[in-house]
Amino acid sequence: MVSELKPAAPAGRLLTCGRPSGRQFLWAIVFGISLGLGSALLKHLSVPAAARYLIPALPFLFGLLYMRAMVGDIRRQMDELQLRIYLEAAAVVVCGLFIIALTYPLLEAAHLVGPLDYMVVLLLIVVLGVVGYITAARRYR
Amino acid sequence: MKNRLRVLRAEREWSQADLAARLGVSRQTVNAIETGKYDPSLPLAFQMSELFQLRIEDIFRPKEELADEAAAAQQRGAR
């Protein structure tokens, strides 16, 4: 016997599981644009001293708003297994970066590598995040 | 943790997606719970209990308890 489907969770809770909301998407775009514009302004124009404080502060603020929207999405939309997978991936990123941050100065002191570039750190975050997500997702498949 | 979710679901002729919709979780979550790869949170266990009209301990059992029961049944059979 099949009775009528009646979700126990709030309606639409999982319909957008894992997908960014409009708000998160918007703040990501604003954050990206402010980074690009700020970088171009500082590189190509001589800006007054006050603006030199303001220009990096704005992307930072938009980045925080993006983070808040993302955390809100995670809290509202994800079911508990998906959340666990995301948290495991985040743990891999945090622990991986922690280990690299502690061991990198040794490699630098041994003259095996040069100074750490921001882009390398960004790339490491992406790589560690993907590795962590795939590992966790495979475990629960 | 072992569970009778697959059996309870089959008795009602529900697919994993049906059960997931009733519980408000993803189908992957139902699958991971059924295969014993993931133990649900207490609120989700209570939701299942309410949905199947059973006590939580009638749905979920510790592995050790099942092993003890199996050993006891084997002993009874040997006698």
Side-chain angles (χ1 to χ4, degrees):
Chain A
M1 188 187 75
V2 181
S3 56
E4 193 186 336
L5 286 180
K6 191 179 173 190
R13 184 183 160 207
L14 288 164
L15 295 177
T16 52
C17 179
R19 288 185 206 152
S21 65
R23 183 183 294 188
Q24 187 187 333
F25 193 65
L26 174 79
W27 285 124
I29 288 174
V30 173
F31 177 51
I33 289 172
S34 67
L35 275 177
L37 270 179
S39 167
L41 278 174
L42 289 171
K43 207 176 272 181
H44 302 294
L45 294 174
S46 63
V47 290
R52 265 187 279 137
Y53 288 101
L54 188 67
I55 290 170
L58 278 176
F60 188 76
L61 175 72
F62 295 140
L64 287 179
L65 288 167
Y66 165 67
M67 189 173 74
R68 199 178 77 153
M70 187 181 70
V71 171
D73 281 356
I74 287 173
R75 206 179 296 143
R76 275 189 301 272
Q77 296 175 355
M78 282 185 187
D79 79 328
E80 52 187 67
L81 180 65
Q82 193 69 22
L83 183 61
R84 191 181 177 128
I85 290 170
Y86 264 62
L87 288 177
E88 286 189 24
V92 169
V93 172
V94 171
C95 288
L97 285 180
F98 185 67
I99 291 165
I100 290 163
L102 290 178
T103 53
Y104 201 89
L106 287 179
L107 294 171
E108 214 176 341
H111 302 291
L112 295 172
V113 291
L116 193 55
D117 191 54
Y118 287 121
M119 289 313 288
V120 175
V121 178
L122 277 176
L123 186 71
L124 279 171
I125 290 172
V126 173
V127 169
L128 289 170
V130 169
V131 168
Y133 186 86
I134 290 172
T135 310
R138 278 170 64 97
R139 188 175 310 128
Y140 299 114
R141 198 163 55 189
Chain B
M1 194 76 79
K2 288 274 181 186
N3 66 75
R4 295 175 53 219
L5 213 56
R6 192 183 291 272
V7 175
L8 294 169
R9 182 171 62 75
E11 281 172 2
R12 287 155 182 82
E13 295 179 13
W14 292 344
S15 66
Q16 285 187 342
D18 290 339
L19 179 59
R22 284 164 207 274
L23 293 169
V25 296
S26 64
R27 194 194 57 75
Q28 284 76 11
T29 300
V30 170
N31 184 56
I33 295 169
E34 279 188 4
T35 51
K37 289 176 181 168
Y38 174 68
D39 291 331
S41 67
L42 202 50
L44 185 55
F46 271 108
Q47 262 180 268
M48 288 172 179
S49 156
E50 203 181 313
L51 183 68
F52 291 117
Q53 295 291 299
L54 289 169
R55 294 179 307 167
I56 289 177
E57 54 267 42
D58 292 333
I59 305 174
F60 296 96
R61 305 283 287 279
K63 269 182 188 162
E64 303 79 39
E65 204 175 292
L66 287 171
D68 290 347
E69 276 177 21
Q74 210 170 13
Q75 269 188 346
R76 277 197 301 273
R79 270 188 223 145

